């Protein structure tokens, strides 16, 4: 049976799914979207890096911006903000480049490091794509957070990779069924760009009559 890449999911969706499965489904299954301050700021941060396939050399480093990646294992495609290829005798060979290189993904984010691991899952998924595509190991990645203006190193562990596999398994299950999970309310709802579309208060109610009595009577 051949590979049908039309069934592949967007890699960036794992960040949404890890944050809230319902948010992911509203965006990727129901094709709904709403912008808030956070999404607008995030777009601004990415303007500097989302320049397709720009290559830049700095001493012992080759920097590739907006690099397309994919994984047949995860059945996903996406874009790495930046991939740095740093000269290293223990690394891999690259076409039209002299020497060997280790591979380091760098993801740009607005704000500062989050308490949850949704950003980490996205970076790990990128690393897994790079490992599969380039037949290499990617043990380390970085975030550059716009608010703190510095890099944060992330170790890519086997435990992280297994969680990514399980998350994509669930995502494909929901997507194939075209199913949107029920809301699970929490503090995270207030920072969600889809709060109004999701209508968590309404979804929390036991029935329509109780909603009507509370808001319309």
């Amino acid at each position: 049976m051949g590979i049908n890449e039309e069934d592949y999911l967007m890699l960036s969706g794992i960040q949404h799914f890890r944050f809230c499965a319902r948010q992911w489904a509203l965006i990727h299954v129901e094709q709904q979207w709403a912008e808030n301050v956070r999404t607008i700021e995030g777009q601004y941060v990415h303007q500097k890096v989302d320049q397709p396939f720009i290559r830049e050399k700095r001493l012992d480093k080759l920097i590739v911006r907006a690099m397309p990646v994919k994984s047949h294992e995860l059945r996903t495609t996406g874009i790495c903000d930046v991939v740095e290829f740093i000269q290293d005798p223990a690394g891999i060979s690259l076409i039209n480049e002299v020497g060997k290189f280790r591979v380091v993904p760098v993801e740009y984010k607005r704000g500062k490091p989050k308490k949850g691991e949704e950003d980490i899952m996205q970076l790990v998924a990128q690393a897994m794509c790079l490992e599969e595509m380039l037949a290499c190991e990617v043990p380390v990645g970085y975030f550059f957070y716009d608010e703190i203006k510095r890099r944060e190193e992330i170790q890519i562990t086997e435990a992280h990779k297994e969680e990514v596999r399980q998350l994509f398994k669930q995502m494909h299950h929901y997507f194939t069924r075209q199913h949107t999970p029920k809301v699970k309310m929490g503090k995270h709802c207030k920072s969600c760009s889809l709060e109004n579309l999701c209508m968590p208060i309404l979804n929390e109610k036991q029935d329509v009559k109780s909603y009507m009595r509370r808001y319309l009577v």
Side-chain angles (χ1 to χ4, degrees):
M1 186 176 179
I3 296 173
N4 183 7
E5 293 188 12
E6 292 182 359
D7 296 331
Y8 283 24
L9 299 176
M10 291 177 59
L11 186 150
S12 60
I14 194 171
Q15 190 265 356
H16 298 129
F17 192 86
R18 184 61 165 72
F19 175 76
C20 172
R22 181 174 174 82
Q23 183 202 62
W24 170 83
L26 289 171
I27 296 170
H28 297 272
V29 176
E30 297 188 15
Q31 301 292 306
Q32 299 190 52
W33 182 249
E35 289 188 338
N36 64 6
V37 173
R38 290 174 174 78
T39 59
I40 294 170
E41 287 178 351
Q43 291 167 7
Y44 175 78
V45 169
H46 281 80
Q47 284 177 359
K48 296 180 180 179
V49 293
D50 285 345
Q51 305 175 53
F53 253 144
I54 288 184
R55 296 162 62 99
E56 175 186 354
K57 286 189 176 181
R58 297 181 186 174
L59 299 177
D60 65 343
K61 185 183 299 184
L62 173 65
I63 301 170
V64 180
R65 303 179 189 276
M67 178 175 170
V69 293
K70 71 175 64 173
S71 168
H72 297 311
E73 178 192 5
L74 302 175
R75 290 185 292 154
T76 185
T77 61
I79 300 289
C80 289
D81 284 343
V82 171
V83 180
E84 296 181 348
F85 297 90
I86 304 169
Q87 287 192 339
D88 186 332
I92 61 171
S93 298
L94 298 176
I95 297 174
N96 298 326
E97 297 293 338
V98 177
K100 293 190 175 183
F101 301 80
R102 70 177 185 270
V103 183
V104 181
V106 183
E107 179 70 10
Y108 282 68
K109 294 290 185 182
R110 62 161 297 280
K112 56 187 177 182
K114 298 180 178 65
K115 293 181 179 179
E117 293 198 340
E118 54 266 24
D119 287 351
I120 293 175
M121 292 298 103
Q122 182 179 356
L123 185 65
V124 172
Q126 291 177 1
M128 293 173 71
C129 288
L130 290 167
E131 288 184 337
E132 184 177 325
M133 292 169 59
L134 301 174
C136 67
E137 293 185 4
V138 182
V140 172
Y142 291 90
F143 288 111
F144 181 88
Y145 286 95
D146 186 59
E147 184 173 323
I148 63 175
K149 303 296 184 185
R150 70 170 184 265
R151 288 188 174 190
E152 293 284 315
E153 182 178 296
I154 300 297
Q155 298 292 322
I156 311 296
T157 68
E158 285 302 318
H160 284 144
K161 291 180 183 178
E162 183 56 30
E163 182 172 357
V164 166
R165 293 186 187 99
Q166 293 304 315
L167 289 172
F168 269 106
K169 183 177 180 180
Q170 295 174 50
M171 290 159 65
H172 281 289
H173 177 70
Y174 285 136
F175 193 83
T176 299
R177 294 173 57 206
Q178 291 291 287
H179 174 69
T180 300
K182 293 182 179 179
V183 68
K184 292 183 179 180
M185 288 189 65
K187 294 180 180 179
H188 63 284
C189 294
K190 292 299 180 183
S191 64
C192 178
S193 60
L194 299 182
E195 182 184 11
N196 291 333
L197 292 174
C198 178
M199 295 184 293
I201 299 297
L202 176 58
N203 280 280
E204 185 187 51
K205 299 303 165 187
Q206 294 182 355
D207 53 46
V208 175
K209 288 183 179 179
S210 62
Y211 173 81
M212 297 285 284
R213 283 197 298 269
R214 181 173 179 178
Y215 291 98
L216 301 181
V217 175

